[in-house]
Every structure is written in structure tokens, then in C-alpha cells.
Amino acid sequence: MSSQSQFIAHLTLEDLAKREFRDDGTGKSTLMLQVAAEARSKGYEGICIPLTNEKWKSRWRDLCLLPSEDVMDNRQEMEKKGEEWRANPGFDLDEVTITRLEEAEKVVGITSDLLDLDSSDDWVRNDSEIALLQELAYASYLGVRTVILPAPRNRAFVASYARAVNAALKANPYIILSVRIPIYDPQMIQLSSGTPGTLTGASLKFVDDQPSIATWEMWDAIRTICDYDPRLTLTLDMTPPLPAELEVLYQWVAEPTRYLFLPASAFISNAKGYPVLTKGTQSFIRDIMKIQPHVILSGTFSGRHTKGGEAAYSQYVRHLEKTSPYIKAANTTGTVENFAHGYQDYLQKPLQPLMDNLQSMTYHTFEQDPVKYRNYEEAVFRALSEWPKPGKIIICVAGAGRGPLVVRCLTAAVRTGKEVLVYALEKNPSAFVTLQSKLRREWGDKVKLLFGDMRTAPVPEPVDILVSELLGSFGDNELSPECLDGAMRFLKDDGISIPASYTAYLAPLSSSKLYNETRVTKDEKEVETPYVVMFQAVNILSGDGGGIRGVCGPRVQECWEFEHPRRDAVLNEQGLPPTNSHNARSAKLTFHIPHAGVLHGLAGYFEAVLYGNIGLSIHPDRMQKISKDMLSWFPIYFPFKEPLYLPSNSELQVSMWRLTSDRQVWYEWCAEAFLPLPGTSVLPEKPKALANTEDDTSQLLAPLTTPTIIHSPLADADDSTSAFTSEKISLGCPPDESGSEGAGSRIGLVKIGQTSLHNPGGRSSWIGL
Amino acid sequence: MSSQSQFIAHLTLEDLAKREFRDDGTGKSTLMLQVAAEARSKGYEGICIPLTNEKWKSRWRDLCLLPSEDVMDNRQEMEKKGEEWRANPGFDLDEVTITRLEEAEKVVGITSDLLDLDSSDDWVRNDSEIALLQELAYASYLGVRTVILPAPRNRAFVASYARAVNAALKANPYIILSVRIPIYDPQMIQLSSGTPGTLTGASLKFVDDQPSIATWEMWDAIRTICDYDPRLTLTLDMTPPLPAELEVLYQWVAEPTRYLFLPASAFISNAKGYPVLTKGTQSFIRDIMKIQPHVILSGTFSGRHTKGGEAAYSQYVRHLEKTSPYIKAANTTGTVENFAHGYQDYLQKPLQPLMDNLQSMTYHTFEQDPVKYRNYEEAVFRALSEWPKPGKIIICVAGAGRGPLVVRCLTAAVRTGKEVLVYALEKNPSAFVTLQSKLRREWGDKVKLLFGDMRTAPVPEPVDILVSELLGSFGDNELSPECLDGAMRFLKDDGISIPASYTAYLAPLSSSKLYNETRVTKDEKEVETPYVVMFQAVNILSGDGGGIRGVCGPRVQECWEFEHPRRDAVLNEQGLPPTNSHNARSAKLTFHIPHAGVLHGLAGYFEAVLYGNIGLSIHPDRMQKISKDMLSWFPIYFPFKEPLYLPSNSELQVSMWRLTSDRQVWYEWCAEAFLPLPGTSVLPEKPKALANTEDDTSQLLAPLTTPTIIHSPLADADDSTSAFTSEKISLGCPPDESGSEGAGSRIGLVKIGQTSLHNPGGRSSWIGL
């Protein structure tokens, strides 16, 4: 169940000037208290007002900015006054809008619009910063919780703006600052049709992503300079109407968008005269409602729209919120969104059930999942139905836990009418007590219990069907491959494994929130741990379509796969693999980044084939089809220690490894960013003549020992669906990989950045074997 | 005095096979010991040999790589053997070249050239890594200090190569690894004239920087993934002949280039038949000799050149070393290079003489400088000579220390024959004792001593000439502006200050060594401290020429300036400025980065005008002209916490602030990187009609309160040479700064990266007032 967004009433100095104080005779009321009470009575949570008034503006202008250069009579005098102010900045009583603690309650303050923190003039910036600190000191004094800063306006001096904001954050340790940023810059828009000035949304189309990226890029520069201070938030100014194409705007969901600033002027009238928003803006608001920004409404009492009155604006926005797909899902029992309430963007350490024995409550939680067990039962049902041989079918549930899969196997057997014997094998001695209880009370002689680790425990007879559920959010991260290697000892040669295979997927992710969550610890190990997390304030940065060079994979890419049973395996006398080398994996993936963003981590998913076309999936594009409303797995998150800036149309090359020693399994990951340069070519043509002359030069650089004609037998041993074949590995890489990416291609690549290697040597989050 | 580079003899397996063991009857000698002894007798420091031989290669090939796919008879058997090896990797006696501790002494090992750590085949990479770890474990066992790794060959899998190297570094905590990297990739070269295959250097010209950048970029990716491990070094392979244009190769000086690999085949014959190097290679070796790499000579005994024999190669390289400008300077008394011996790339905390009283030894060191005091004397001499008024001239030396400037003032007065009185003002009570001693023994009544801080101490009369030396490596970083503000009280209105002004300069710097030095501490404050350092293994990344967009400043750019006396100053009753706002400064500089590199920090310099055209300068391009052989100041270094990758032809925008509160002065700095996209334009034309329509949209984004027609009086008060004028501040910025850089220009900018803000709030290295 999700709570509702709150509304805040915005009042300008002009708005306030029109209000009249009504003396109630108590001597305690003030104009501001009356204004606030009126707003609350209309359903607003609070009011948003400037902290200072025209009197202050006028004095400040005199202090710092001479009216013109030829009026120099009192110049020295005014400069002296300016210096006096700089030495002791402070307000007079009649220069501020609020003066009492009660007046400051639930007020969102706005700093003076005179402040010009990104002026190209040094002195204007200097004095603006002093005035900003003066306003914030006063707001802090009165206990104002949040202050909205003026929008940055000058890209060339955004670093100066940001530095001043950072100084303000440090000087006021309890206040929350919110930078007002227009959702895009209409000055940069190209109208695809229609005439300039008719910005009604319908006629509007972004020709490229610059109009939006320009303002986001300012925000990104500011929060990066402020080192992602958690007290620095964003007031997204929705004044410009939005075009229908919204993909480029998703990034705002991954930012700390605390307020939406929505003036009455952003509304259009519907046929009946009521205020409504353009289709693009509707759609955007429905989307961003999942991170529940407060909505600041402005000018709603000005009668701009003929019908509905002041309340019509908030009623309409509330309607959008209620029809948001995310909010609807969150309010519907049985959905992941509903189940995960309170866990959004919350980082959890992945379970390590091989190393740690699970608690009964953990089993209980996962047994709630209606979809996972239904699909398992269906998979066993089909496997039994299609089983070609007569007679009793021997099933082993490896890792039986408290027995839910045993129950499903028995039900499936009843449905097929075939005779089965189920071995329930479990290593957790506590859960084994529960299994004994169920055996005695429910299962009888259809089930035999076996205690022990599936890699070593004796099993009385070879089995036909091996059923296991050892999957993690990334597929293999709970060591399913290693455990099932050990269980293959007692699977018949023509036996089948449920699951038959599972595949890990990756996508590049942006999320200010998750970045800040992972680095609250200064412990490097913790920063490099993968986490299980229900994503919410995130944006997948990649897009489909191949990118400018046409070599990139899809938005979410296959990382690697595991199959069971493994074919052509080399085994020792105990039927176990002599080393774990065959469970090492690596992937190099190339993602197309259509719109600029900051990479904070990788989102990991899995998809498993249980049997035939029955599966389990948390792949964002396929989960609805394969296992809708399955609750057992949130995605996994591989964080990066340092954010990596990715421009529009860049290529991101991600390397991910699954590594193994004789004791551990762990992941390492890193990424490189490139920008394709259209129209360039690294090499006009390849100087093959040079490469073929076997002089000392070419010999040195391409030693004759390169095993170019020798193939790996074990790679060949893996069949074509394995991630080990070179075609899969080279997915997304340029066709010609002879030392320079892009050689032979029409479009060259320029490297623009790189992350470090994460979790080297498995120093954190290794998994004991 | 610098020591000489060492030579190492490289021997291939073929070379070793030709040597014969000579039994000396002791029973203790071995072939390898004889080979090593012979090399030493020829002047080599040691030998460089493969660790394993053809027998190992043959076995390893069998273990891992089947000869071809149709020979499958013993496939299962061979796969089993492979798994046995992977479980317990080890050598047989006759598979290695050295077996005894004595044999390993002064040996630089080379790993097998079979290793293919960046193969596109997963299994080849997997087995190469196991074999690499096996070789390094064996080398560690024998105490081999350094092992050279095979060159990376496959850009697409360089991350895998690097990850394996990183694992090897972690597994062998005492060994030094050196990655062999060709100085450029001849396959990527475009010959400007001549036919392919005739790579003699003279006919060779890099059309762009790709051939060199391609191999450097591989190195950069590797060391970044290895997190700049100090045990990871570079063996620069000099086999390809170098073109005459070398600028792009300077970056290797800023890397841990431990070895130069120089085969006999890289030499050409001179007219007499002796081996010599091409002009380009000569020039490069002379340059890189300043970081003293060891030189590995290969094939020198093969008689490739008709004259000079084996010794001719090392003699020739020694000749290049001796004629290296840096080595020559280091061996010449009186040069900075000679004076700074032992201090190269050594980080020192800047002095804070206002906060800390200096020790006599510190004064003594700085008084050694022959140039600084000569120039001061000359400045005072000229000032006195040109002094327009008759009568005694009153001089004050503010910050007299132990008196060297007092002496120079007296000498200058004698030279002019004018009558002077010198007040020697000093706040250090210990130095004041020395001053008293000099007064009594040498100066007599020409000098009067005054004890106290120049900002507050009473001075008996106004002075004509104020002489001070309060300069730091960045000009103002020892608080000269603040101190001289305080001394202006007692300077006559028409008095002069020596120095008259000083200017700070900045340039972007790359240096693996300095990056590693600054981060040895995990303390964030220490990482953000500016340091004084004599640069050596560094590369200035910027270039002259304006860059692709034509808007960039020169290679080393002016940051800001201070002038004394200050004009039109606002002062209080004590003659002091009411605030220190006027000493705040900021600069935004745009640098052209011609060749890809990694930004690790900013190099800071200063240049001071003492009087007229007499100055002091450590500006790298002007110091020779203005104050050659001045020893008192090394440059200053502003480090970045995180390296920033800069591609070729990028633009680097650096922001630097000098900030001040009522108690402190400090610097903050950050940088943004952009790539100009040739042929693109953000806006085809500016939609001015839209911006001028004063609807709600444009009003919101460009508030009417923007003080566009209002000028700052204090900015105007500063004269045109001050860094405060907007023309200077906007140096290098696009002409149109209305919110989107490059708007209106033919060439758009794409942001590609950013650093965080360094030293925010002056949390480290602040300077107390």
C-alpha cells in the first residue's frame, strides 16, 4: 500500500501582497499564519514562499550593484556600506516574510530570485553567495526544513553555482536544499512542426535529447560537485509542456526529485474548461509518482481556467497519481509492488544458503510465492507426463528445505497418475526436523528422507528426475552450479534436471539513491558487494537498437548460462569434477546508451528453464510473460564505487567475471565507456602488406606463438547454447577485433572513461564452497 | 648528480640453446651461471631470460589445446590430464631455465610467450591465467624480483588481461610485474610518404596520434584495472622506429617505465657501419633518460652491424644518456636539476610562514638562491634610480627574516649613491635576534629594526618603498596579499611595492607516480592538500593552439593576479580592509588536450613583477628568460582524488577558487571534460523569437530579475590588468554562454566526465589569518 503525494501551495510576493490581514483579536495571529491556515484548510500540506521581500532586494541591489557607472557621486560611500554588510550580513525586520517559529512550520522557503550564483561576474557571485548564506542562516534560525534555490542559468559557471551550494550545505547542517531545475530547456528545442510559441505539447517533439539533457547535465554537475550530499534535492520545474516522446526524461526518476513545481500555466483547458495536463506531462507524472514527490502548485487561485476552481488542479493531479500503473500495482494484493512495500531501493545482502543454514521464517517467506511453486509443479507434471519409460519414476528433491517442492512433486505425480518415489535430500539439520514431521503426518512411504550435502551424501539409488531450487537473483549466485555438479553423481545418464538451465542478465543502471546507499560505509569491501534490491528510483541507461555503430546488444543483455546435466564432463572416481574451472564464466557486453546519464551500477537478473517451456524469470521485459507476480526474487545490484558519466549515444563495454578457486566463487566487474565518432575511421584501409612482412617489427607485435589455428577442446565440448562459445562471448564487440576496436568499421571509437576493477580477488562477498 | 642507467642483456631460448656449458671442475657451475657471469663481465647489470622452455610449451599446449578437432581418439584422456594440471599446476625439472637461487640473482624473468591472457576464447584465457600464476609462483620461489609479461594483443579483451595481471599481483606479494608494451602499434600507422615496409624513421610520420595512443590506451586500461598497483611497471618496447614528431610520446615519461626493450634490430648503421638509432628514437631516449629506465639490449651479439661489436650498442645508448639535456643539467652545479637532486617527485607540504615561524636552517636554505636576491637587488636599484624626489628614501623590508633583503637594499643604495633608511620589520622573535646581531655588527644606523606583524605593528613613519618576499609557489599561497594589505597602512600614497604584482598559472598534469604518492594516505584531507614538488615523471597534458573549437587558452594558463598597492580600496579607520572579499579569486580555464592522457592533478606556478621588467618566474616556458637557475621555488601540485580520462582533442575546463573567510584562506578546485564533436551544432539557429515571447515559459527560465544591465562597481574598480574583469574570467569559454556551451558555434561539445570538488570548505590545507 503506498501513501499519497502531498500538495504544497506556492505563493509569490505578489500573491502575498494581495492578501489582507484579518485581525481576530487574539493578538497572536499574523498574516502569514492566516495564509498558512487557509492553505491547510484547502488540503495543502504546507506553503512555499520566498524568505525575503522587495525591501531586501532593493537594499541588496544598492549594496552590491551600482545602478550605472556614471552615477559615481556616492560611490565610495556605497562601497563602504557594501563592505560593512559583507563583514556582518543580516536582515532588518521588514525585509523578511516570516519572523516567528510558528510561521516557519511546514514552510518550504524560496531564496531571493536576485541571487545570481552563476553570474559571469566575480563580485556578483561573491555577494550572491554571502546573501545566500545569510538567507539560509535565517531560515535555519527559524527552523525552516527545506529551502528551494534559484535555477542555475549559466552553464559556463555552473561549477561556481555548485561550489556555493556546497558551502551552504556545509554551513547549515540541518537544512535540506532543493535546486530548481526546469525539466528541459525550451530555448534549445527544435519544433518538428508548427510555429514557435505554440508549445502545447501535441506539436512538440524533441529532435535530439539536448533540451532535456542540458538541464539534467546542470543538475548532474551540481550534485557531483556537492558529492551527492543527501541533503541536496531537486525541485523539478514542470512549467514547459512535455512532448509525447518521454524516454529521455526517465532519468529524473533516478534522481532525488523531492518536489514537482507545477504552475497553473502548465495546465491546458479540456473541452469543458477544466484544467488538465498535456498527454506527455500526464504520462511523465504517472511515471514519477512511484518515487512520491511532493507537488507544489502555483497560481491555482488566479482563475486561469474557467471550471473547477482552485481544487481542480490538485484533484486532477491526484487522479493522475491514482491511475499511475505503479501506484495501481502497489495497491493491488498479490503483485510484487505490493509485496515489496517498504523494501524499495533497500539493499539486502544476498542469501548464502550453502554457507548459512536458513531459518524457518526465511523458508516461510519464500513459500508464500504462489507462482514459483505452481511453475515447479507444472514442470514436474510435464516431465512425468513425457517420461518415456514404464515403471516407478525416482525423483530426488535436492535441497528440500521444509518440503514445498516435495509436496508439488507428489501433487504432479497424482495428476499424471504415475507411480513415483521422492527422495528429499536436505543438509540443514533444523529444517530436517520439519521434513520428518511432514513425512510422518502427510507423506508416508511415497517419500524417503536423506540427510546431508548433495555433493557428498550417499543416495541409495540413481534417480530419474533431479528437482532443485538453488537459484539466486543472478541465477548462479547461490552456487547452484557447484551444488548440482555434486548431485549429478546420482542422476541417471538419461535423467533430467529441473531446472534444465538458467541464464544471468545485466543492464547498466543509474540511481543517485542506490549510489548513496552503497557508500554510507567507508569500508571498500562493503561498497563492492552485490546487493539484492527491489529497484524503484532507478533508470536503466541502455537502449535497444545497436547504437550508432550498430554493434550493441539489447537493453538487457545475456551474461552467461548454466546447463544441467553438463555434457562431456570430466569426472574423478567419486563422479565429481576435479576442478571448478568449468564453472568459471566471463562476459563482455556492449550497451548502447541513447541518453546521457551517470552509471552507478549494474542491474542483474536471471531466467531459468525448468522444463520445456516452463520457466521462472525476473528479466524486466519477460517476467510478466514467464512468471507474472512471482515474489521470490528481487534483482541483484552490482555497485560501482565511482560514478561513470556516459554521454548521449555512447557505448558502454561491461566486463563481468564469475571466478572460482578451490574454496570460493565470486564476481568481479568493471566497465569502459566509448563515444563513437560519426564519419571517422581509425584506418582508411588495413595495411595488410605491412602486417604480412615478417620483419622484426611485425614479429614482435604479433608473435608467431599466437595460437590462432588451435581451438580449445573444452570450449568445443560445450554445446552451442553455452556462453563459452566465442560467438556469444563476442556479442556486441566489433567484428574486427585485431587490436583496435572499430578498425575496418566506418565509425571510430574514442575511449572516454573507465571504472576500476570491482571486488578484485573476491575480497568481499565471496561464497564458500 | 644523477646515477647512470643500467643495461640488461636479453637472451632468447634460441640464444641460450647456442651456449655450451664449460665444465670448470668445481661441480658448482651451471650453464646459466656462466651465461650470467659472461654478461656481467661485459658490463651488463643482469640478464633477462624466459623462465620456461620449449618442453613446457609443448606440454602446456597438449594439456590445454588439442592439435585439431578431428584427432579425437584420446580426447577424454587429454581432458583428464588438463584437469589434473589445473588442480595442481607445477613444472618438471627440465621445463624451466633456472632451478637454483644463485641462478635467479639479478635475473629479470620473462613469462612464456604462449600465454594468451587476452584471447577471445574463455578456456585459453582461463588456462593462460593458471599457467601465469604457476610461472610466477615458481619465480617467487626462486626469489626472482621482476618478471616481464607478454604484451597485450587484443584490445577487446584487455580487461581480461588486466584482471589476470591483478590476480597475479595479489597472489605474489613481493614480485614486480612489468607489462611489455610497444611504444606504438605499427599496424595502425599511416605512412605520409614512401612505401609500406620501409620503416626507417625518416620516412615515418604519425598522421594522427592513434598508433601511439592505441598502445598507451591498453597500458592505461591495464593499470587502471590494477588500481595503479605500485608493483605494476612498464617495459617499453622500442622495436618500432620512431617518427620525428614526438609530442604524443611524452606520456611514457609520466608512466612507471622501468625498462626500455631495445633490440639490435631497432638500430640502423651509420656511414661507418656502427649501430646508431634513428633521430626520433635518439630524441625520445634522451628525454626519457630523466626517469632512468633500465635498458634491455637484445641480439647485440648477432653481428647485425658490421662495426663496433657487441659493446657498440650500450656505448651508443650511454652516449645518448650523457647528451640528454636533463642529465647534463643534473650534472651541472648551480642548476635547479642539480640542486633538486633527491627531491624529484617528492611531495612537500607548502610552508605557512604566517602561521609557523621558520627555522634558521630554512632561512639558510633559501638564502642560497643566487638569482632571487640578485633580481631583488636589481629591482630596488632601479626603483631607487628612478625615484623622482630628492632626499632620503625610506624603505621598509616587511618580513625581513634573517636580513638578506636588507643587505640587498643597502647594496642597491650604495650603487645608486642615494641616501636611504631601511626599516627591517619581522614577526619571528627568533629571527629577530639574528637581525639584531647583523644590525650591531654590519648595518649601523642605515637600518632600524621593528618587531611585529606587518598587519598591526606600529611603523614610525610612512615609507616610500615597501620590499617584501612573501611569495609561495602559487604566488599568493603564503598569504602575501593579506599581509601586504596590512602593510599598506604605512606606504605613502605615491609609494611603490616590490613586488608590484604576481600572477598564478595552471596546467593539467598527468603522473602515475604523483597520483600514487598522494593516495598512500587514506585520509581524504591529505589527498586534497596542495603540495610543493619538483616535477620529473610528469607530463603536461595541455597544448597550445586553441583546440578544435579554437576557444582554448595556451598550454599554461594565467589563473589570477594580485597587484600592490591595491587601487580604490575601501579601508577602515585603521587603514585595513573591512573584509577580505577583495582577495577572493576564481578562474575558469579551458585547456586543449591534444593527445589522450589521464589527468591526475594541476601544476601551479607563479610569476612576479618585482619592478619594471625585473621579475621572478617559475612558469615553465618563461623561467629561463626571467630568472634562470632560481632555486627557491618548486612548482605546486593540486592533486585530484580520482583520475580523469581525457581523450585526444578533448577540452578540459578547470575551475579554481581562492576562497576566504574572516579566519582562513584556501583553494578549491574541480574539472570537467568535454569532447568537441566536429561538424555538429547543438542549435542550427537560435530560436530568438521563442526566447523573446514573454510567456510563462520563457519567464520562468530566464527570470526578469537577472541583473543583465547592472555592472559590479567593485569589478570595475579593479583595473584592466586584474583577473576580476569579465574578459579575463571568460578566457577560453565559448563566446555565447547563454546556457548551452557551443550554442551558436559550429562545433558542439559533449560532456564526458567530471571530477568532484576538492578541498570543499577548506577542510584541509587552510591557511590561518
Side-chain angles (χ1 to χ4, degrees), chain A residues 258 291 427 535 666:
Chain A
R258 192 179 171 94
I291 60 166
K427 72 158 180 71
F535 294 135
W666 70 96

Side-chain angles (χ1 to χ4, degrees), chain B residues 368-642:
Chain B
Q368 303 305 303
D369 191 329
V371 176
K372 181 175 90 175
Y373 293 104
R374 184 194 69 204
N375 286 17
Y376 259 99
E377 181 185 317
E378 191 61 20
V380 175
F381 171 76
R382 295 205 193 176
L384 291 175
S385 304
E386 295 172 12
W387 191 252
K389 287 179 283 182
K392 190 159 71 174
I393 304 169
I394 312 297
I395 300 176
C396 177
V397 176
R402 305 199 311 177
L405 286 178
V406 174
V407 172
R408 295 297 185 151
C409 288
L410 294 174
T411 313
V414 169
R415 284 171 61 198
T416 57
K418 299 205 177 182
E419 193 189 355
V420 301
L421 172 65
V422 180
Y423 287 102
L425 174 59
E426 176 55 47
K427 73 156 178 72
N428 180 347
S430 307
F432 200 71
V433 173
T434 307
L435 286 177
Q436 292 174 59
S437 157
K438 292 204 175 147
L439 179 74
R440 191 179 302 172
R441 294 167 49 185
E442 300 169 26
W443 297 337
D445 59 2
K446 294 281 182 211
V447 175
K448 287 197 191 327
L449 302 187
L450 300 170
F451 178 76
D453 187 315
M454 69 181 80
R455 296 172 295 177
T456 49
V459 173
E461 58 183 321
V463 307
D464 297 306
I465 301 178
L466 181 73
V467 180
S468 67
E469 196 287 85
L470 307 165
L471 297 168
S473 297
F474 202 46
D476 55 272
N477 61 300
E478 293 180 12
L479 299 199
S480 179
E482 284 74 14
C483 291
L484 290 183
D485 274 353
M488 288 303 136
R489 294 175 294 130
F490 52 83
L491 183 66
K492 289 179 187 165
D493 282 350
D494 57 353
I496 59 172
S497 168
I498 295 175
S501 68
Y502 34 89
T503 306
Y505 291 89
L506 281 177
L509 206 70
S510 185
S511 172
S512 294
K513 190 167 179 188
L514 293 182
Y515 173 66
N516 258 341
E517 293 287 326
T518 53
R519 69 186 190 133
V520 285
T521 169
K522 288 279 170 195
D523 181 355
E524 205 155 28
K525 294 185 184 183
E526 297 289 309
V527 182
E528 296 184 348
T529 308
Y531 292 97
V532 166
V533 55
M534 173 68 185
F535 294 136
Q536 183 166 281
V538 306
N539 183 31
I540 292 183
L541 291 168
S542 49
D544 291 321
I548 287 185
R549 296 195 308 147
V551 300
C552 298
R555 179 168 159 267
V556 179
Q557 290 182 33
E558 184 178 330
C559 198
W560 51 62
E561 188 191 35
F562 287 87
E563 269 198 319
H564 302 285
R566 190 160 73 93
R567 306 183 199 179
D568 301 319
V570 174
L571 303 174
N572 64 15
E573 300 74 40
Q574 292 82 42
L576 296 172
T579 79
N580 201 30
S581 278
H582 60 284
N583 285 327
R585 290 288 187 280
S586 81
K588 178 152 184 267
L589 308 175
T590 302
F591 292 96
H592 165 51
I593 308 298
H595 310 294
V598 178
L599 178 73
H600 295 112
L602 302 170
Y605 312 96
F606 84 96
E607 185 167 302
V609 173
L610 294 179
Y611 182 85
N613 63 351
I614 306 296
L616 305 172
S617 182
I618 61 168
H619 184 299
D621 303 333
R622 289 206 287 260
M623 56 192 290
Q624 290 297 319
K625 201 178 144 211
I626 293 171
S627 51
K628 184 172 186 299
D629 293 335
M630 183 170 69
L631 308 176
S632 294
W633 291 275
F634 295 153
I636 201 165
Y637 178 63
F638 295 94
F640 283 114
K641 273 182 298 188
E642 58 289 309

